[in-house]
Amino acid sequence: MDTLEISLDDVYPDENNPRKDWGDIDALADSFKATGGQPLQPIVVVRDGGIFRLVDGERRYRAMRKSGLSRCRACVCEDMDAANAMLAMLATDEKKPLTEAERGHGVQQALLLGVDPQSVEDALKVKHAARIKRAMQRVGDDAEYMSLDWLLAIDELRSMGCDEGAEELEKAKEKDWEQVAQYWASKLKREREAQEMREALEAAGVAIVVDAPRMSDYDYMRGIYRVKDAQEIEWPAGCVATVGEFGATVYKPRDAEKDAEQARLDAIAAEFESTAREAARKRACFAVGKLMDGEQPEAFSSLACEHYMSLYGYYRQAEKLLETADWDESHAHGESGASGPLLMSIIYRRLCSSDLQNHGRAYANGNLGGDGNRRRLADWVADGEALQDDGYAFGEEEKWIAERVREAMGDE
């Protein structure tokens, strides 16, 4: 390569130059005045018969033409292949920096022309040129419209064996490709984490199953969302797990002895609740039957009205309704003057508040007399006493419940 003085009229720019933005050519031309009208760094050309093809320095060439210069110094190459010409146009550090779009286009052109990927990386300060080239070969002509990041995302999906995601990304529109890439990246990450979860559970002795086991054979144990949990928890023998993208669900074998004990408690609870339900039905039938016959169960009516008046949030409503029904405090322990429909509603509310038909589990577990239940037990006893004062007779069901209530309340 020789440095010669040549005519600018004999120089023609290379149409393959990826640069489209030439910057401020006028300012660059003015800067040449300080260096004798020419740039310090000569342009680079390749001899093409009697003329020269410009391979490096098109901004300087345009600035010299702008300033009216007819001849200039140039580094003249007798022979330079097209690939090295492309690198020359892109690699000079002193020229105006390329835009990302220009750099991407230039990288693709250089790779298409057969430039070694490592040379492209060194000259253009890009990474993963070999991967970009591999993606370009796979995509074909459409690669021309894709950014380097887009091509790298396609190659990454292919390298991970995700052909479905890569194909979707190749077909994506320019405005959508990043969203598509992010979706598949997240999906693959979850799949990796799921595989790590499977391996951790299997290492801990938990068998992996595709579908949840039958509840007749297994009980739900817990859900886990971190591999660390799978590794640190001591799993009972015989556990199985289903694993999905968002975690795992572990099931443990049912304990035959515990199941038998649970069945026994279930039977006790069912018996208590069934008996309590029948007792509640008979109490309601007696009180409502009295009202339907035009009578009032005076003792129970008074108890029910006092209860209604004491309820937080109901006092004003109750007061208004009872005034309308000719109720006054003198009836609190005597004859009730409340109207039939109103009294029926008040009685029903009282019966519901003392009902024991949902306490079978507490009875089966020996907790019927627990602190949370004692007020309801006391109300149930008080209701029974008031109803008896009105002529109600306990049936066998009620006697059975009454005996359990007395046991639960002890000496009270």
Side-chain angles (χ1 to χ4, degrees):
M1 181 174 67
D2 299 319
T3 301
L4 305 175
E5 186 175 282
I6 61 175
S7 171
L8 283 174
D9 290 336
D10 292 336
V11 177
Y12 68 92
D14 192 322
E15 62 182 12
N16 290 320
N17 193 337
R19 185 187 295 281
K20 303 302 177 187
D21 179 8
W22 304 103
D24 192 343
I25 295 297
D26 289 337
L28 183 59
D30 287 342
S31 70
F32 295 162
K33 294 177 181 178
T35 57
Q38 293 193 36
L40 286 174
Q41 183 176 354
I43 61 174
V44 179
V45 296
V46 173
R47 192 182 295 278
D48 186 8
I51 57 178
F52 304 93
R53 176 163 57 96
L54 181 64
V55 295
D56 182 56
E58 189 165 343
R59 288 189 71 238
R60 284 165 279 161
Y61 165 79
R62 288 172 177 262
M64 288 188 287
R65 297 286 297 201
K66 184 79 172 179
S67 64
L69 200 64
S70 59
R71 299 181 67 81
C72 72
R73 288 179 294 108
C75 295
V76 180
C77 301
E78 297 299 328
D79 184 18
M80 179 184 287
D81 61 31
N84 288 331
M86 178 59 62
L87 285 181
M89 286 184 286
L90 293 168
T92 305
D93 289 336
E94 295 180 3
K95 64 172 65 176
K96 181 181 184 294
L98 293 168
T99 66
E100 284 305 310
E102 291 170 342
R103 182 178 297 277
H105 186 58
V107 168
Q108 291 193 47
Q109 282 188 301
L111 292 171
L112 285 171
L113 289 169
V115 180
D116 176 68
Q118 186 60 54
S119 298
V120 173
E121 291 186 11
D122 294 341
L124 306 183
K125 297 180 176 58
V126 296
K127 296 180 179 180
H128 313 301
R131 291 176 53 200
I132 294 169
K133 183 177 182 179
R134 188 165 57 221
M136 289 169 56
Q137 292 171 338
R138 178 81 189 189
V139 173
D141 293 342
D142 289 340
E144 180 181 353
Y145 307 103
M146 296 179 176
S147 68
L148 300 184
D149 287 339
W150 191 346
L151 290 168
L152 286 171
I154 292 172
D155 181 73
E156 182 173 4
L157 289 176
R158 290 286 182 192
S159 66
M160 298 175 70
C162 184
D163 292 342
E164 181 184 359
E167 289 172 6
E168 183 178 347
L169 192 54
E170 289 170 11
K171 297 175 183 177
K173 296 180 180 179
E174 184 177 358
K175 65 182 180 65
D176 298 328
W177 80 263
E178 289 181 288
Q179 184 176 354
V180 173
Q182 184 176 15
Y183 165 79
W184 281 101
S186 298
K187 180 177 176 63
L188 291 174
K189 179 183 178 183
R190 292 195 299 271
E191 290 178 354
R192 288 195 303 272
E193 291 172 346
Q195 182 58 32
E196 292 173 0
M197 181 71 79
R198 292 187 190 94
E199 293 172 357
L201 285 169
E202 288 178 336
V206 179
I208 305 301
V209 296
V210 176
D211 300 314
R214 294 183 302 176
M215 290 296 98
S216 58
D217 300 324
Y218 288 85
D219 285 327
Y220 168 82
M221 184 173 178
R222 62 172 294 169
I224 55 173
Y225 308 97
R226 302 183 305 169
V227 171
K228 182 179 179 181
D229 293 334
Q231 296 169 334
E232 294 182 351
I233 294 174
E234 282 194 29
W235 303 105
C239 284
V240 300
T242 57
V243 180
E245 289 186 5
F246 299 99
T249 304
V250 182
Y251 303 86
K252 61 182 179 180
R254 301 197 67 159
D255 187 320
E257 292 184 6
K258 287 185 67 176
D259 285 349
E261 175 62 14
Q262 189 61 52
R264 186 184 71 83
L265 294 177
D266 288 346
I268 294 173
E271 180 187 15
F272 183 92
E273 291 176 0
S274 174
T275 306
R277 188 178 301 110
E278 180 61 19
R281 186 189 69 80
K282 288 185 175 181
R283 286 186 174 191
C285 286
F286 172 80
V288 173
K290 283 274 192 181
L291 292 173
M292 296 294 289
D293 292 338
E295 303 178 31
Q296 288 189 7
E298 294 295 337
F300 187 70
S301 296
S302 296
L303 182 65
C305 288
E306 286 183 33
H307 172 256
Y308 191 79
M309 291 287 286
S310 69
L311 289 177
Y312 177 76
Y314 287 103
Y315 181 82
R316 292 182 181 276
Q317 178 184 0
E319 186 177 44
K320 182 176 180 180
L321 289 172
L322 293 176
E323 284 177 358
T324 303
D326 298 325
W327 172 268
D328 61 56
E329 292 185 3
S330 64
H331 296 119
H333 301 287
E335 183 178 346
S336 171
S339 63
L342 171 63
L343 190 56
M344 191 178 297
S345 173
I346 294 173
I347 286 173
Y348 175 74
R349 184 179 295 276
R350 172 63 185 190
L351 287 171
C352 287
S353 72
S354 61
D355 185 14
L356 297 179
Q357 59 183 306
N358 293 323
H359 285 60
R361 183 64 58 190
Y363 170 68
N365 292 331
N367 194 39
L368 183 61
D371 292 341
N373 298 327
R374 299 189 75 80
R375 173 61 184 273
R376 184 174 285 262
L377 296 182
D379 286 348
W380 190 89
V381 171
D383 287 359
E385 292 173 350
L387 287 168
Q388 286 179 315
D389 289 344
D390 291 326
Y392 177 67
F394 277 17
E396 291 303 316
E397 300 87 354
E398 205 139 13
K399 291 177 182 178
W400 187 87
I401 292 293
E403 183 177 347
R404 272 72 195 162
V405 168
R406 283 195 297 272
E407 291 174 357
M409 296 185 70
D411 296 334
E412 292 185 26

